Amino acid sequence: MSDVSGLPLIGAAALRAKDASRVLRTLPTDTKDAALTAMAEALVERTDEILTANAADVAAARADGTPEAIVDRLRLDAGRVAGVAEALHQLVALPDPVGDVVRGSRLPNGLELKQVRVPLGVVGIVYEARPNVTVDAAGLCLKSGNAALLRGSASAFGTNTALLAVLAEAGEKAGLPAGFVELLPADRASVGELLNARGLVDVVIPRGGASLIQRVVRESRVPVIETGEGNCHVYVDASADPEIAEAVVLNSKTHRVSVCNSAETLLVHRDVPFLPRLLAALADAGVALHGDDAARSAHDGVVPATDEDWGTEYLSMDMAVRVVDDLPQALDHIARWSTGHTEAIVADSARAIAEFTAGVDAAAVLVNASTRFTDGGEFGFGAEIGISTQKLHARGPLGLPELTSTTYVVTGSGHTR
């Protein structure tokens, strides 16, 4: 048995999760899908008690002066509960990655070699505000055969507790082992214990602001899959269609400002003739514009931008605007300030599109489409844990295959070496 003497807050939960992970890795797809369905139905049936807990969390957050962008992430309503339940139904429809053969061959000596997808084991997830992550994480980990240790924020602890009660009860009634999903205490010490639970926890995934992610990456003794901030850019090329540019820029910025794939900076080629129209459309939509001299000349409502603006993930109705001389200058700006999440180009020029997609270093590159599409559900992967901005193991939306590792299965007939 693993030593949990140094884990007074999470040790018992981690042990239950470790034991559960050994069962989960062997469960057939039908059992996991039946549990997901039961969990989804239970969420809808018990919406009222979930919303009661959430209302208390939202009221407390507002009383503490929490910014409305963060309150929006915290808030649930019947539609959002139905949405997270539907995400579990969507997982049922997705292929089970466990057991997939990534590659296989027959070696010259007659050995049969197969690389097979297997669960990671126990996945620890540290996240802020959004209680929908509680459901998404539990569902994704279950479908991929992993146990989940969830450490949400203190601001959502009441909501998360209610959600976990529903999920655990429904899942266990459907045949899942106790401990398949566990909620950890919402204090700073529990994060430290989780990050030091090497041997009990196989991987940690942080999902939240820069300070949370940096702490996890800096302190963890457990392997980390890093999700990152979304300082996303939209570059409007000289060849761009005015109507497409306006639609893409407005949707990228205003569709939902509190999320990581919302655009924060607009880069516009100096030869774009419709810049005043584009800035007016943003201002009319309620966006506060922070721009360079050229942008300020194009619209009276633009205030001066600083280096802080270029590097800020606003998560609000603010946007930085810069006029660039050419595409290489746009790429230079992105290389300096991007967080590697999502970058978009609006252009008709095939050459400009090719240079942009080859030249930016990001988890996702959008061409004539909103940055808001960088999302596991929109990509057809179902619910996601987050968007990985690192380059090892997984990059982009973290769906089911990204929550697995692989094992080599080698079959012989008495082979010796």
Side-chain angles (χ1 to χ4, degrees):
M1 180 175 290
S2 299
D3 179 16
V4 295
S5 58
L7 309 173
L9 291 174
I10 75 161
L15 282 173
R16 287 192 297 269
K18 190 70 172 178
D19 289 342
S21 71
R22 297 181 60 202
V23 178
L24 290 167
R25 68 183 293 117
T26 67
L27 289 182
T29 303
D30 288 350
T31 300
K32 294 186 287 186
D33 286 347
L36 287 166
T37 300
M39 290 156 61
E41 292 173 351
L43 287 171
V44 175
E45 291 169 1
R46 297 169 65 178
T47 295
D48 288 347
E49 68 183 81
I50 294 167
L51 294 185
T52 298
N54 183 248
D57 283 340
V58 168
R62 286 192 168 126
D64 288 342
T66 304
E68 278 302 310
I70 305 301
V71 173
D72 179 59
R73 293 185 177 199
L74 171 62
R75 184 180 59 84
L76 292 178
D77 54 30
R80 288 187 177 181
V81 174
V84 294
E86 177 57 28
L88 295 182
H89 284 301
Q90 291 173 2
L91 284 174
V92 173
L94 293 173
D96 186 344
V98 179
D100 281 353
V101 178
V102 177
R103 58 181 171 177
S105 63
R106 185 180 180 86
L107 302 180
N109 62 3
L111 287 174
E112 297 286 347
L113 178 69
K114 291 192 297 183
Q115 186 183 14
V116 181
R117 289 198 182 277
V118 296
L120 292 169
V122 178
V123 178
I125 302 165
V126 186
Y127 55 103
E128 297 174 334
R130 294 182 187 173
N132 65 291
V133 177
T134 301
V135 179
D136 290 346
L140 280 160
C141 287
L142 169 56
K143 181 81 177 199
S144 54
N146 298 293
L149 281 177
L150 308 181
R151 196 284 191 182
S153 63
S155 63
F157 189 71
T159 307
N160 289 337
T161 300
L163 289 169
L164 254 293
V166 173
L167 296 174
E169 181 179 329
E172 290 176 29
K173 284 183 178 179
L176 300 183
F180 79 94
V181 59
E182 294 276 350
L183 183 66
L184 301 179
D187 55 27
R188 186 174 178 84
S190 68
V191 178
E193 289 186 16
L194 179 64
L195 301 184
N196 281 283
R198 193 176 184 92
L200 285 171
V201 180
D202 295 285
V203 65
V204 172
I205 303 173
R207 178 170 172 170
S211 60
L212 168 67
I213 294 167
Q214 289 166 9
R215 180 191 175 193
V216 171
V217 172
R218 182 177 62 250
E219 298 180 12
S220 185
R221 295 179 60 244
V222 177
V224 175
I225 300 177
E226 182 178 353
T227 62
E229 296 175 89
N231 188 13
C232 306
H233 301 72
V234 179
Y235 166 63
V236 179
D237 188 61
S239 66
D241 176 274
E243 292 186 2
I244 292 177
E246 183 173 327
V248 169
V249 171
L250 281 172
N251 188 259
S252 295
K253 177 68 258 182
T254 67
H255 181 254
R256 191 175 176 192
V257 297
S258 64
V259 291
C260 59
N261 59 14
S262 172
E264 306 293 16
T265 298
L266 172 64
L267 302 174
V268 183
H269 194 288
R270 66 179 180 182
D271 294 334
V272 168
F274 54 88
L275 177 59
R277 164 185 160 181
L278 187 57
L279 297 183
L282 286 164
D284 289 346
V287 179
L289 301 170
H290 311 249
D292 63 3
D293 289 342
R296 295 176 65 202
S297 297
H299 192 276
D300 292 339
V302 181
V303 301
T306 65
D307 279 358
E308 184 178 357
D309 288 298
W310 307 131
T312 296
E313 183 187 26
Y314 291 113
L315 301 175
S316 62
M317 287 289 275
D318 292 84
M319 192 174 206
V321 184
R322 181 184 179 188
V323 177
V324 294
D325 292 335
D326 49 29
L327 190 151
Q329 190 174 56
L331 292 174
D332 287 345
H333 180 103
I334 293 170
R336 179 176 180 185
W337 299 108
S338 172
T339 55
H341 189 294
T342 300
E343 307 300 344
I345 181 174
V346 183
D348 277 345
S349 165
R351 179 176 179 179
I353 291 170
E355 290 181 3
F356 187 86
T357 55
V360 294
D361 185 6
V365 183
L366 280 295
V367 177
N368 293 322
S370 170
T371 59
R372 289 285 288 118
F373 283 107
T374 305
D375 175 271
E378 295 296 327
F379 282 7
F381 302 156
E384 65 182 32
I385 293 293
I387 308 294
S388 170
T389 54
Q390 66 179 27
K391 299 182 182 181
L392 297 179
H393 174 65
R395 197 179 194 195
L398 294 172
L400 294 172
E402 290 73 30
L403 290 175
T404 63
S405 183
T406 61
T407 290
Y408 284 95
V409 178
V410 185
T411 304
S413 54
H415 282 66
T416 59
R417 180 177 176 182

